[in-house]
Amino acid sequence: MPTSTTSAHWPGAALVLVLYLGAAGVSAALGSAAGPAQSASIWLAAAVLFAAFMRCPRSPALLLGGWLAATIWGVLGHQLGWGASIVFGLIEVLAAWLGAILAAPRSLPALSLQACMRLVAGAVLTSVIGASLAALFWFWQDAQSNWSLEWRTWAFSTLIGLLLVVPVAVAYRGFRAQRSGGMTRPQFYAGLAAFVLFLALAWTVFSPSVQKLGTAAATLAYIPMPFLLAASMLWGARGGSVAMLLGGLLIIARSALGGGPFAVEDAFTGEAVVEAQAFVVVWAVLLLFGRGLEDSRRRALQTASEWRLRYERTLAASGVMSVEFDPTDGSATWSPGAEKILGGHMESLQNMADWLSHVDAADHPMAQAAWESACDGHPVARYSYEVQLSESRYAAEVSLAPIFGPDGAVESVAALVRVLNTAQG
């Protein structure tokens, strides 16, 4: 009997079957990568399996559903017999499963730079393994088939499909509609304007009319891409991945139909589509890594903010303030919350001279000597003295530590000031 966990995956397996066949139909409608080749110009169906296996790599139900879907497509899409279709399905599932195992995020955040690198590596592995097995499979089916052509078209069409579709699946994993917390309206409209400009330019550049410019037309391919990059960065991971998917489909579909700057002169059959595929792959990887870097930056800022909050709370709870003094002019930069500890006297403590002017006369020589020692590069261990601020008298413990710059000179002096008790003067 199947376990409850396995039973829970059967609806997912059915969904994989439907999505695979739908994606395969869309891929077939976009045209072949090269005249006699069996592969489409872009193979989206493999990405359905890849994304499913990334989520549940050890689910027999998903493996069976994916294999059944690929087998059915072998019969419907390639007019293969059931025996050959079964082998075709095994190739699809095996290649996607191995790549997904490598790309599975495990403990990594889904959109981190490391996860993006694993995703690209997994996509390349799936493409290479699938292309190698598929080329042998098509040669087995027809000894007259061109092994290198089948390998190239399968590898490129699978790779671009994975790099366009899987980031969308990863970005929308666990997505729930919310009334707040998304992008701002100006940000959305700015991204929309950039994307509309991209579509208009891409539709124009990747049309048959540009081919009259000859080999110089290839340089026009880069004109729309900065607008796609802008839309992707403005819309974030979810909107950006969808923008890249739609943009990549448009470029490859127009190229497969004989339009665009890459179709000016083919050195071999299907060269224009291969060039368009490589072009889109480069931009897909660029945007993927760009989003990974942005996510890493956002997480680093969030972590730094969280630790800063913890640090400030700890200092405030223990009555400790931190301050940095410039050793040249003595200007002070106090930590947030210092005014709460000192009772709102911060305006009168803008530099070390202000601080020393409030030190009790009996302790002033000691405090002055400690400051001069720290400016000379010698740390000063904790020492105590009294400070008078308006009506309040503070007993404080102070520690000074020099901070050295790259040239070895004292760049600033850090101080920890702990208020031990207060008394009214």
Side-chain angles (χ1 to χ4, degrees):
M1 293 179 63
T3 64
S4 59
T5 302
T6 303
S7 299
H9 289 164
W10 285 114
L15 180 62
V16 166
L17 188 149
V18 173
L19 291 178
Y20 180 96
L21 294 177
V26 172
S27 300
L30 293 175
S32 173
Q38 296 289 337
S39 300
S41 57
I42 178 171
W43 188 234
L44 304 174
V48 175
L49 301 181
F50 192 98
F53 296 156
M54 277 186 66
R55 187 174 180 83
C56 300
R58 293 175 176 81
S59 170
L62 292 182
L63 291 169
L64 182 59
W67 168 76
L68 181 59
T71 300
I72 293 173
W73 181 253
V75 175
L76 300 179
H78 294 285
Q79 288 76 49
L80 298 172
W82 282 103
S85 295
I86 289 174
V87 177
F88 176 85
L90 290 174
I91 292 173
E92 275 274 68
V93 169
L94 177 63
W97 182 75
L98 290 175
I101 289 293
L102 177 59
R106 300 176 187 175
S107 60
L108 296 174
L111 298 175
S112 66
L113 182 60
Q114 293 85 352
C116 291
M117 294 175 64
R118 293 178 68 93
L119 173 57
V120 172
V124 171
L125 180 63
T126 291
S127 302
V128 171
I129 292 177
S132 301
L133 296 176
L136 293 174
F137 171 77
W138 294 125
F139 184 79
W140 169 53
Q141 292 296 301
D142 181 7
Q144 302 301 317
S145 64
N146 187 327
W147 190 93
S148 61
L149 176 64
E150 296 293 352
W151 192 97
R152 183 176 65 244
T153 55
W154 183 293
F156 273 94
S157 63
T158 300
L159 180 61
I160 188 61
L162 293 175
L163 292 178
L164 291 181
V165 175
V166 176
V168 177
V170 172
Y172 279 90
R173 182 182 300 167
F175 171 75
R176 290 181 178 86
Q178 297 178 346
R179 293 187 177 183
S180 61
M183 71 181 77
T184 62
R185 185 174 298 179
Q187 182 182 359
F188 172 77
Y189 285 130
L192 180 61
F195 188 63
V196 170
L197 282 173
F198 161 76
L199 290 177
L201 290 171
W203 189 269
T204 302
V205 170
F206 288 89
S207 65
S209 61
V210 301
Q211 296 171 14
K212 60 185 178 183
L213 298 177
T215 55
T219 58
L220 299 177
Y222 296 93
I223 294 178
M225 303 313 291
F227 297 98
L228 179 60
L229 176 62
S232 178
M233 301 309 291
L234 285 168
W235 279 348
R238 293 190 174 113
S241 60
V242 173
M244 186 64 225
L245 170 61
L246 297 178
L249 290 177
L250 173 63
I251 292 173
I252 293 177
R254 299 280 280 177
S255 300
L257 294 174
F262 299 122
V264 173
E265 183 178 352
D266 281 2
F268 56 86
T269 303
E271 181 187 11
V273 177
V274 172
E275 291 177 349
Q277 289 171 330
F279 180 76
V280 173
V281 163
V282 170
W283 279 96
V285 172
L286 173 65
L287 294 182
L288 188 62
F289 282 160
R291 288 193 293 269
L293 288 170
E294 176 63 22
D295 181 76
S296 297
R297 173 181 172 276
R298 181 184 62 81
R299 292 180 183 277
L301 290 175
Q302 182 179 357
T303 301
S305 178
E306 291 173 352
W307 275 106
R308 178 180 177 180
L309 180 60
R310 293 191 187 102
Y311 174 72
E312 292 173 358
R313 286 177 174 176
T314 300
L315 291 182
S318 57
V320 176
M321 302 168 290
S322 67
V323 56
E324 280 194 17
F325 294 102
D326 188 313
T328 304
D329 59 11
S331 58
T333 303
W334 293 88
S335 62
E339 66 280 356
K340 295 181 180 179
I341 298 176
L342 289 179
H345 300 290
M346 299 308 302
E347 290 187 2
S348 63
L349 298 173
Q350 297 299 309
N351 52 53
M352 176 55 76
D354 291 342
W355 176 262
L356 292 175
S357 67
H358 293 284
V359 175
D360 186 79
D363 297 324
H364 190 278
M366 176 182 64
Q368 180 69 43
W371 165 246
E372 294 174 355
S373 178
C375 290
D376 290 337
H378 305 292
V380 179
R382 184 175 58 189
Y383 63 103
S384 302
Y385 51 71
E386 292 188 349
V387 177
Q388 181 73 39
L389 295 172
S390 298
E391 300 295 328
S392 301
R393 177 176 292 274
Y394 296 86
E397 287 185 350
V398 181
S399 300
L400 300 175
I403 299 176
F404 299 95
D407 59 353
V410 177
E411 197 172 69
S412 64
V413 175
L416 286 178
V417 181
R418 183 180 182 185
V419 176
L420 299 179
N421 55 67
T422 60
Q424 298 297 318

